[in-house]
Amino acid sequence: MSIDKQDVQKIAHLARLGLSDQDAEQYHHAISSVLDLVEQMQSVNTDGIEPLSNPHEATQRLREDIVTESDRREAFLKNAPQTEAGLFLVPKVID
Amino acid sequence: MNWEVVIGLEIHAQLSTKSKLFSGAATSFGAEPNTNTTLVDLGMPGALPVFNKEALRMAVMFGHAVNAEIGMKSVFARKNYFYPDLPKGYQTSQMDDPIVGKGYLDIPMEDGSVKRVGITRAHLEEDAGKSLHEDFHGMTGIDLNRSSTPLLEIVSEPDIRSAKEAVAYVKMIHSIVTYLGICDGNMAEGSMRCDVNLSLRPKGQQEFGTRTEIKNVNSFRFIEKAILCEIERQADILEDGGKIVQETRLYDPDKDETRSMRTKEDANDYRYFPCPDLLPVVIDQEYVDAIKASLPELPSQKAARFQEAYQLSEYDAGVLSASRAMADYFETVAATCNNAKVSANWVMGELSKLLNQSNLDITDSPVSATALGELLVRIEDNTINGKTAKSVLQAMWDGEGSADEIISAKGLKQVTDTGAIETMIQGIIDANAAQVEQYRAADEDKRKKMIGFFMGQVMKASQGKANPGVVTPILTKLLNG
Amino acid sequence: MTTQSIAELSQQLANKEVSSVELTKDYLARIKQHDGALNSYITVTEEIALAQAEYADKLIQQGNTSPLTGIPVAHKDLFCTDGVLTTCASKMLHNFVPPYESTVTQRIKSAGAVMLGKTNMDEFAMGSSNENSHFGAVKNPWDLTKVPGGSSGGSAAAVAANLCVAATGTDTGGSIRQPASFCGITGLKPTYGRVSRFGMIAYASSLDQAGPMARSAQDCAYLLQAIAGFDHNDSTCSEVATEDYLAGLDQPLNGLRIGLPKEYFGEGLQEGVAVAIQNAVKEFEKLGATVVDISLPNLQLSIPSYYVIAPSEASSNLSRFDGVRYGYRCEDPKDLMDMYKRSRAEGFGKEVQKRIMVGTYALSEGYYDAYYLKAQRIRRLIKEDFVNALKQVDVIMGPVAPTTAFGLGAKTDDPVAMYLEDIYTLSVNLAGIPAMSIPVGFADNMPVGLQIMGNYFAEAKLLNVAHQYQLATDWHQQTPNLAEGA
């Protein structure tokens, strides 16, 4: 499976990375070589083998339904680029 | 052409847990912006989710209530997309292995038929925050209080064929989740939100037409109206030989129309994959069975019991069991006054009338179920008659006190003292000698009609307090001489 | 200043031969003197260190101590530290001051250790050379023209240069072991789930694991003892009980069965490295161990499997860096999309962006099965290789990396060549087993690390094996000659 430069722009858009044409060219090369590297997987027969997403195949632990946290808004907002009235501000969202 | 409408619904029910799906923040509605948030809800670097036990239990309860397969191993997956009120850049949801699998609901329709709607699945997911578009110097404010609040997304099969069926289905789901106590059902506050998938096809055709999705329709009435106008819109296009564009639309209740949400320049690709910060949720049969055993009575079960135990009609039983609050209210009234039929009539009649006039829910009734029951006891024991009781209820509604207090304060107690009544009736007979003559000369049939005149006189004289049950035999005896 | 073990320093502190404040001041002075050349620290927390040292001295006065009380340590700059800049070596987090403390750093703090600062690393732990840092490359203390390895290169270099007694690192595909090997120190990647990931800024959640980096196995044991164990904040953290990692160190190695996988000694292995490894194995035989030839047939597949799984998880994990709640936001965004795209393109370095895009592609519609699911199936094959091998042997040994530290800039033009160098370390993370790197000699004057891999939760065994070797040899006590002002 290979990708072209347009694919790179499409992926970059999905990942919200703004690439110039020149960037896209460079990344096209870099991503293609990674994809070539992983291509060797395709020759392995994995029929009937279950995907392994966690090394221990452990199961989820459950948390009691208790409110354990109190308001720390001030501390949490400190790192934000822009805030007002306790809200995080972003450029206008148009629905 | 004759079009058949095909509807499938996605309902998001906010689960009534105390804390969030993946964090220990409170879930309460209406808090100051961003005060009900934790590291997890804000998607802080390094923060990790831990799954709320109660949300799992609630989802399994719902599964049982819709006759569904329970997912013994369910898996949280990440749905990746960027939006400012989605702090992690993905929503933790369930994809391939939901907690609730296939099920169905049988819905009694007005015409006496029963509509079966298939449930495709119901899965747990976290809610996003809110974007506030008021003017912050042309910017948008983000409040993440709602972020990570637990939702159960209930997906129906495309089995629904009319707006009426859709509303009946949503009402049934609403009734189930509130009965189970897993959702407060408050649609105005967004605790239950509904997306409608709708397409048309020529009657008789097997395959589905192109569908649109109407997002976030948040009341029973709007669901019906949104569906009706979307049916009309699609039919108009199809009649003109046009094509339906698959898209997301919004219902505007002010203009009573649906309109396209700005189509995104690209199709979404959510890149679902199992969330590596959470492990598969594995439950055993014992757990599932224990929850089944602990289920409260469901609306359909309750209606059946009301018919059986209280000898109510199917209609009355249906009305009284529609909401858990209504059913609980009715049963308290009935238990207090010991007469289910009278209780049913008063709850559905006078009380409902007063509630409707004030636009109040039964949970907000100023007259408690016990208080109403005590009033009905006074009809049963002949302290007052039904007509007086209506005025007493109004006084109770207005906060003038309990039934007994009002009856006593206003002197409304019926006169049941036979001696006093006899004296009063004798006085009326003496004062109306001509009518008495006529009465005595009349035959049996005429007498029955004429006795009403004397009854009226007695009531007038007693200011309505004479007990008709006591008056009638005495009056008949004295008239007959 | 000569290097001393945690045990020795702890004894001297207890005997009041030295105070924690004095010790801390010595280390701060060494950092001032040498770190200009090494660049191993992103942030030096002098004030905090001195305050903690003073407090530690009080605890020592009261006799209320743990083995780490008063010991100066450093943390990789991806552990969130409350009120202390935590950058992940990224422009994206150049100004991020966490409002909370990670479990790892909290536990070390609670044990009374002194935090000297936050160490340099590859941006978001993506890299094997520490050249992918917004704050500049770290230099190898053994040769300033060489890389220290990565991604925990700052921690490795700081320990090797004695700019801290011990440090924390994280290992997603070799990021503790490879820099430990390149810098001639001891590093342990614990079993997945042995140490909490809470407060550790994620690269690839199902592979990331924090661990100790120090001069010796014994020092690593002290650190592991403090950080290992259940944490209710991390759903993937194991409830398996921890062991006494120090008590087991003295076990003799008689009868120890060592597996040598033939795949670890094939083409591409630098000769000097091979020799050092063989010598180390001979030393173990002298200590009573026996050697068994084994095979891990799917080793080669760990590279493609890892380079699909890790970027896939990373592409999602790094979506939260969007310029809304913390971190870098571009100047004057013209709209929301512009804010996202420029903040992320300007805030992330090239390697990070590349991995995000690879992962985005691998998860996207139509490719998910062929990439992500395929890689997860292969992951199971790799795990089964280890499970089967560890039925025959107690530990598996081999090199950590095919070569010693390479020159700065030598591989920056060919990242894929650098990926291939991870061949001996990636499979351990995919399987989730624990593994160590210990110094076992030199090749061309650069340190060589031996990798010791063990069964799930067998950290005590690994530390025991490493410690016995270190009792018999002194490779771990070799230190680089740092020039004045360098």
Side-chain angles (χ1 to χ4, degrees):
Chain A
M1 273 166 271
S2 65
I3 56 164
D4 58 28
K5 246 176 70 181
Q6 245 180 330
D7 292 329
V8 172
Q9 283 292 9
K10 221 162 71 188
I11 299 163
H13 174 67
L14 269 179
R16 298 296 184 265
L17 296 167
L19 304 189
S20 67
D21 275 354
Q22 202 190 339
D23 293 336
E25 181 78 48
Q26 277 182 19
Y27 281 118
H28 176 226
H29 185 73
I31 295 168
S32 293
S33 52
V34 178
L35 294 179
D36 289 345
L37 177 73
V38 302
E39 195 58 30
Q40 55 170 306
M41 288 194 308
Q42 305 308 333
S43 62
V44 184
N45 183 349
T46 52
D47 292 351
I49 296 166
E50 280 294 301
L52 178 70
S53 52
N54 174 276
H56 300 305
E57 298 184 84
T59 58
Q60 180 61 33
R61 202 170 45 243
L62 303 173
R63 180 175 62 77
E64 293 296 330
D65 182 25
I66 303 168
V67 175
T68 52
E69 309 281 325
S70 48
D71 174 25
R72 293 189 60 206
R73 180 172 80 176
E74 207 180 317
F76 291 158
L77 290 178
K78 263 192 192 150
N79 278 291
Q82 206 176 347
T83 61
E84 190 174 313
L87 298 159
F88 299 99
L89 289 195
V90 297
K92 194 144 198 88
V93 175
I94 308 147
D95 263 322
Chain B
M1 189 165 321
N2 211 349
W3 300 104
E4 180 179 51
V5 58
V6 175
I7 298 170
L9 294 172
E10 288 164 25
I11 297 173
H12 289 88
Q14 186 187 315
L15 297 177
S16 318
T17 54
K18 292 187 200 76
S19 63
K20 291 186 176 178
L21 187 55
F22 298 120
S23 85
T27 51
S28 52
F29 179 82
E32 282 289 298
N34 290 311
T35 53
N36 280 352
T37 58
T38 67
L39 302 165
V40 177
D41 315 320
L42 293 175
M44 279 285 173
L48 293 170
V50 187
F51 178 39
N52 186 334
K53 195 183 209 170
E54 185 64 3
L56 174 66
R57 194 182 69 88
M58 289 177 166
V60 173
M61 284 173 88
F62 178 81
H64 283 310
V66 297
N67 315 293
E69 296 160 19
I70 305 297
M72 304 307 281
K73 179 181 174 183
S74 51
V75 176
F76 284 107
R78 292 183 181 177
K79 178 182 182 179
N80 295 283
Y81 66 96
F82 284 87
Y83 204 76
D85 63 19
L86 187 71
K88 301 187 294 297
Y90 57 82
Q91 179 190 29
T92 310
S93 181
Q94 297 182 320
M95 184 60 181
D96 291 335
D97 304 289
I99 180 67
V100 175
K102 273 197 180 311
Y104 66 86
L105 267 185
D106 284 332
I107 303 158
M109 301 298 295
E110 233 170 340
D111 63 3
S113 67
V114 170
K115 171 72 188 182
R116 175 165 290 194
V117 177
I119 306 283
T120 313
R121 57 188 280 147
H123 62 257
L124 285 163
E125 62 183 27
E126 57 182 342
D127 208 344
K130 276 183 182 159
S131 301
L132 305 173
H133 304 293
E134 293 101 88
D135 199 38
F136 296 105
H137 335 288
M139 301 190 81
T140 293
I142 306 295
D143 173 11
L144 296 172
N145 278 346
R146 210 178 59 184
S147 167
S148 189
T149 297
L151 297 178
L152 188 66
E153 179 173 340
I154 305 154
V155 183
S156 87
E157 291 286 306
D159 289 346
I160 296 163
R161 293 291 173 270
S162 70
K164 272 208 163 55
E165 285 181 7
V167 172
Y169 168 79
V170 179
K171 280 190 170 163
M172 181 73 120
I173 295 283
H174 185 270
S175 163
I176 288 173
V177 295
T178 50
Y179 258 76
L180 294 175
I182 63 173
C183 173
D184 67 17
N186 190 329
M187 295 177 88
E189 285 178 6
S191 303
M192 213 175 116
R193 313 196 284 271
C194 189
D195 301 339
V196 180
N197 287 289
L198 188 151
S199 64
L200 297 185
R201 63 182 172 191
K203 258 218 156 75
Q205 180 180 301
Q206 273 299 310
E207 76 248 41
F208 295 135
T210 305
R211 66 183 164 85
T212 57
E213 183 179 13
I214 315 168
K215 277 256 180 231
N216 271 333
V217 203
N218 292 339
S219 83
F220 299 130
R221 201 161 60 90
F222 290 165
I223 290 169
E224 183 163 14
K225 294 179 84 171
I227 289 174
L228 291 176
C229 65
E230 180 62 12
I231 291 173
E232 197 178 306
R233 190 190 69 89
Q234 289 195 15
D236 284 351
I237 293 171
L238 293 169
E239 299 282 352
D240 291 346
K243 279 200 168 129
I244 304 298
V245 182
Q246 181 165 348
E247 61 181 355
T248 305
R249 301 182 68 83
L250 272 183
Y251 174 67
D252 180 343
D254 295 332
K255 295 183 184 156
D256 192 27
E257 63 177 29
T258 68
R259 63 160 185 272
S260 178
M261 284 171 79
R262 214 164 54 99
T263 37
K264 302 272 156 61
E265 63 216 81
D266 54 342
N268 272 320
D269 182 342
Y270 291 124
R271 290 159 282 138
Y272 278 98
F273 76 110
C275 178
D277 288 331
L278 291 160
L279 301 170
V281 179
V282 174
I283 52 180
D284 58 22
Q285 197 57 46
E286 201 182 334
Y287 173 82
V288 173
D289 292 345
I291 290 176
K292 190 165 193 173
S294 74
L295 282 191
E297 194 177 32
L298 291 167
S300 56
Q301 294 165 334
K302 192 159 277 195
R305 179 168 64 80
F306 281 6
Q307 283 186 62
E308 174 78 22
Y310 298 127
Q311 302 294 307
L312 299 183
S313 71
E314 189 178 353
Y315 177 79
D316 288 0
V319 173
L320 289 170
S321 62
S323 84
R324 189 165 164 178
M326 175 75 110
D328 288 350
Y329 192 101
F330 159 70
E331 290 210 272
T332 306
V333 177
T336 310
C337 80
N338 220 359
N339 186 332
K341 186 64 205 165
V342 168
S343 301
N345 289 342
W346 278 80
V347 172
M348 292 180 350
E350 289 305 309
L351 181 76
S352 291
K353 204 164 84 192
L354 288 168
L355 289 169
N356 288 340
Q357 278 165 6
S358 311
N359 205 9
L360 284 178
D361 192 82
I362 194 148
T363 49
D364 304 320
S365 169
V367 179
S368 74
T370 313
L372 177 58
E374 283 163 3
L375 171 64
L376 302 188
V377 168
R378 294 297 166 240
I379 301 177
E380 290 293 296
D381 69 8
N382 286 323
T383 304
I384 53 171
N385 60 33
K387 196 163 163 239
T388 308
K390 284 183 192 175
S391 62
V392 175
L393 178 59
Q394 181 66 56
M396 290 164 74
W397 183 274
D398 296 336
E400 293 176 27
S402 70
D404 284 349
E405 284 163 5
I406 292 162
I407 291 167
S408 151
K410 297 192 172 181
L412 299 175
K413 194 169 161 33
Q414 292 190 118
V415 180
T416 48
D417 172 349
T418 48
I421 287 176
E422 203 165 326
T423 311
M424 185 172 62
I425 292 175
Q426 194 56 58
I428 287 166
I429 286 176
D430 294 347
N432 295 282
Q435 283 84 347
V436 174
E437 277 304 305
Q438 278 177 24
Y439 176 89
R440 287 180 176 162
D443 61 24
E444 199 63 26
D445 275 359
K446 272 196 180 158
R447 280 187 177 185
K448 269 186 188 159
K449 284 176 194 157
M450 291 169 76
I451 202 162
F453 164 78
F454 298 102
M455 200 68 180
Q457 295 298 310
V458 174
M459 285 303 160
K460 202 168 151 190
S462 72
Q463 293 168 308
K465 288 186 284 187
N467 184 334
V470 179
V471 171
T472 309
I474 298 170
L475 183 60
T476 314
K477 189 185 82 185
L478 291 180
L479 278 173
N480 291 349
Chain C
M1 186 159 96
T2 54
T3 61
Q4 285 166 305
S5 70
I6 291 177
E8 286 162 350
L9 288 170
S10 193
Q11 196 57 52
Q12 288 167 20
L13 286 165
N15 295 344
K16 319 272 179 1
E17 291 164 38
V18 65
S19 72
S20 177
V21 169
E22 287 163 356
L23 196 57
T24 300
K25 281 183 174 163
D26 280 351
Y27 275 96
L28 289 169
R30 281 186 63 80
I31 293 169
K32 278 206 183 92
Q33 189 184 359
H34 297 294
D35 206 46
L38 291 174
N39 198 27
S40 66
Y41 281 85
I42 290 174
T43 304
V44 177
T45 51
E46 183 168 348
E47 269 178 50
I48 292 172
L50 290 171
Q52 288 179 340
E54 248 174 72
Y55 182 66
D57 284 333
K58 247 179 233 156
L59 291 177
I60 292 164
Q61 285 294 338
Q62 295 162 5
N64 178 16
T65 60
S66 89
L68 292 182
T69 306
I71 305 291
V73 300
H75 295 304
K76 188 175 182 178
D77 204 22
L78 57 50
F79 290 100
C80 285
T81 40
D82 198 351
V84 175
L85 186 69
T86 300
T87 68
C88 255
S90 181
K91 182 177 173 185
M92 184 55 89
L93 291 178
H94 72 286
N95 57 358
F96 178 60
V97 179
Y100 77 113
E101 190 81 19
S102 76
T103 300
V104 164
T105 52
Q106 180 59 53
R107 286 181 179 178
I108 289 174
K109 195 173 171 178
S110 301
V114 171
M115 178 172 76
L116 292 169
K118 307 290 292 287
T119 58
N120 206 342
M121 55 184 279
D122 280 303
E123 184 181 2
F124 284 100
M126 296 181 190
S128 322
S129 70
N130 222 311
E131 292 165 295
N132 303 328
S133 167
H134 176 62
F135 300 94
V138 179
K139 315 293 180 347
N140 192 312
W142 293 91
D143 179 344
L144 297 181
T145 68
K146 300 236 159 91
V147 302
S151 65
S152 311
S155 290
V159 171
N162 200 25
L163 304 188
C164 60
V165 176
T168 52
T170 64
D171 190 317
T172 306
S175 285
I176 286 176
R177 291 160 288 157
Q178 186 253 25
S181 169
F182 281 12
C183 292
I185 64 161
T186 304
L188 167 64
K189 181 209 93 78
T191 307
Y192 181 81
R194 178 70 298 168
V195 176
S196 169
R197 294 186 298 112
F198 181 74
M200 228 175 94
I201 300 176
Y203 162 20
S205 312
S206 79
L207 302 164
D208 291 345
Q209 187 61 203
M213 303 175 80
R215 193 149 304 282
S216 68
Q218 190 192 43
D219 286 0
C220 284
Y222 279 115
L223 243 67
L224 182 66
Q225 201 71 58
I227 63 176
F230 178 66
D231 175 14
H232 63 86
N233 286 319
D234 174 3
S235 295
T236 63
C237 189
S238 175
E239 290 177 79
V240 171
T242 56
E243 291 177 68
D244 186 332
Y245 299 111
L246 287 141
L249 292 178
D250 294 328
Q251 295 285 323
L253 299 186
N254 290 327
L256 180 81
R257 293 166 304 165
I258 297 171
L260 295 181
K262 63 170 192 263
E263 293 80 7
Y264 274 69
F265 297 91
E267 210 184 317
L269 181 61
Q270 187 183 318
E271 204 195 322
V273 173
V275 169
I277 300 295
Q278 280 150 12
N279 289 338
V281 171
K282 278 182 205 142
E283 188 63 42
F284 277 107
E285 286 178 307
K286 274 194 237 161
L287 293 169
T290 54
V291 169
V292 182
D293 288 327
I294 61 163
S295 173
L296 299 167
N298 293 296
L299 181 76
Q300 197 61 41
L301 291 171
S302 60
I303 294 175
S305 177
Y306 177 88
Y307 278 102
V308 168
I309 293 170
S312 294
E313 293 184 5
S315 72
S316 177
N317 283 336
L318 271 60
S319 290
R320 67 186 61 199
F321 303 103
D322 58 4
V324 177
R325 297 164 315 285
Y326 43 74
Y328 179 76
R329 180 187 285 190
C330 67
E331 291 290 326
D332 301 322
K334 67 178 200 299
D335 57 25
L336 183 66
M337 187 61 83
D338 186 46
M339 181 197 78
Y340 279 146
K341 288 193 167 178
R342 279 204 289 130
S343 299
R344 288 168 59 80
E346 293 165 15
F348 290 135
K350 293 243 181 289
E351 181 65 23
V352 173
Q353 292 189 56
K354 182 178 79 180
R355 293 196 196 192
I356 289 174
M357 284 191 270
V358 168
T360 301
Y361 181 69
L363 291 175
S364 65
E365 211 177 320
Y367 300 102
Y368 177 75
D369 288 11
Y371 285 109
Y372 188 74
L373 276 188
K374 186 83 181 179
Q376 296 280 43
R377 291 183 213 280
I378 288 172
R379 182 176 190 179
R380 183 177 296 277
L381 296 178
I382 289 163
K383 171 183 169 161
E384 282 168 4
D385 280 358
F386 279 112
V387 169
N388 291 330
L390 288 164
K391 282 176 191 158
Q392 306 167 50
V393 297
D394 301 310
V395 292
I396 298 170
M397 288 185 186
V400 172
T403 66
T404 54
F406 45 85
L408 283 157
K411 298 193 187 208
T412 40
D413 291 340
D414 190 0
V416 165
M418 200 158 3
Y419 292 0
L420 295 173
E421 304 259 311
D422 300 336
I423 178 72
Y424 301 139
T425 49
L426 300 178
S427 55
V428 161
N429 299 77
L430 290 166
I433 59 169
M436 288 187 77
S437 172
I438 59 168
V440 292
F442 291 84
D444 300 334
N445 299 319
M446 293 304 286
V448 174
L450 169 78
Q451 187 169 203
I452 313 171
M453 295 160 266
N455 222 326
Y456 294 102
F457 302 105
E459 285 80 7
K461 170 59 78 183
L462 295 188
L463 289 164
N464 165 226
V465 169
H467 181 67
Q468 290 301 310
Y469 177 85
Q470 290 179 340
L471 286 178
T473 61
D474 67 354
W475 299 115
H476 64 292
Q477 282 164 343
Q478 310 278 324
T479 50
N481 247 330
L482 293 177
E484 279 301 306

